[in-house]
Amino acid sequence: QVQLVESGGGLVQPGGSLRLSCAASGFTFSTYVLSWYRQAPGKERELVARITETSSIKNYADSMKGRFTISRDNAKNTVYLQMNSLKSEDTAVYYCHAKRFGFLQDYEYWGQGTQVTVSS
């Protein structure tokens, strides 16, 4: 069965750092585009960062540029999100997402999310 399991969330002080991990299994990880999304209470889910299959292209939302870094290790079937200079507005549940555009159908999977809280 397909699984995406996030870890690394928690409570951090403003200005601090966290590294999120998402471990995948049950599908061919290296053929999928991977993304991190987040959702705060009362707000829409938003794209944080995206990375292509071989890490050739990385995309970030404007508010995350220079602070967040997405990376992947295909040998470990894991995608990471390094978050620096965290702000209170970064507080949200962070979700791992995998997608492949196939010949006959698209394949899309979500993790269950990990809570990130930025507070003094």
Side-chain angles (χ1 to χ4, degrees):
Q1 60 180 343
V2 170
Q3 290 190 78
L4 292 171
V5 182
E6 300 96 336
S7 62
L11 177 65
V12 65
Q13 301 271 328
S17 298
L18 283 175
R19 191 191 194 199
L20 306 184
S21 298
C22 174
S25 61
F27 64 99
T28 307
F29 183 84
S30 62
T31 67
Y32 282 71
V33 174
L34 300 174
S35 300
W36 287 96
Y37 288 78
R38 71 184 186 187
Q39 188 167 23
K43 294 187 177 181
E44 299 289 330
R45 186 171 297 188
E46 65 175 339
L47 177 67
V48 174
R50 178 166 288 154
I51 186 168
T52 53
E53 294 91 331
T54 59
S55 303
S56 59
I57 301 173
K58 299 176 183 179
N59 293 291
Y60 302 92
D62 286 342
S63 62
M64 291 84 175
K65 289 180 180 177
R67 299 192 300 124
F68 291 9
T69 303
I70 190 170
S71 61
R72 66 191 291 166
D73 187 339
N74 287 344
K76 296 182 178 180
N77 286 0
T78 303
V79 60
Y80 306 94
L81 183 68
Q82 179 66 47
M83 304 186 293
N84 299 324
S85 302
L86 285 163
K87 307 172 182 178
S88 60
E89 52 263 45
D90 295 318
T91 296
V93 177
Y94 284 71
Y95 297 92
C96 181
H97 176 261
K99 188 169 186 177
R100 181 189 182 190
F101 297 92
F103 283 99
L104 300 179
Q105 66 186 99
D106 295 340
Y107 304 87
E108 185 174 15
Y109 307 110
W110 289 94
Q112 293 300 116
T114 185
Q115 177 70 48
V116 171
T117 303
V118 185
S119 178
S120 299

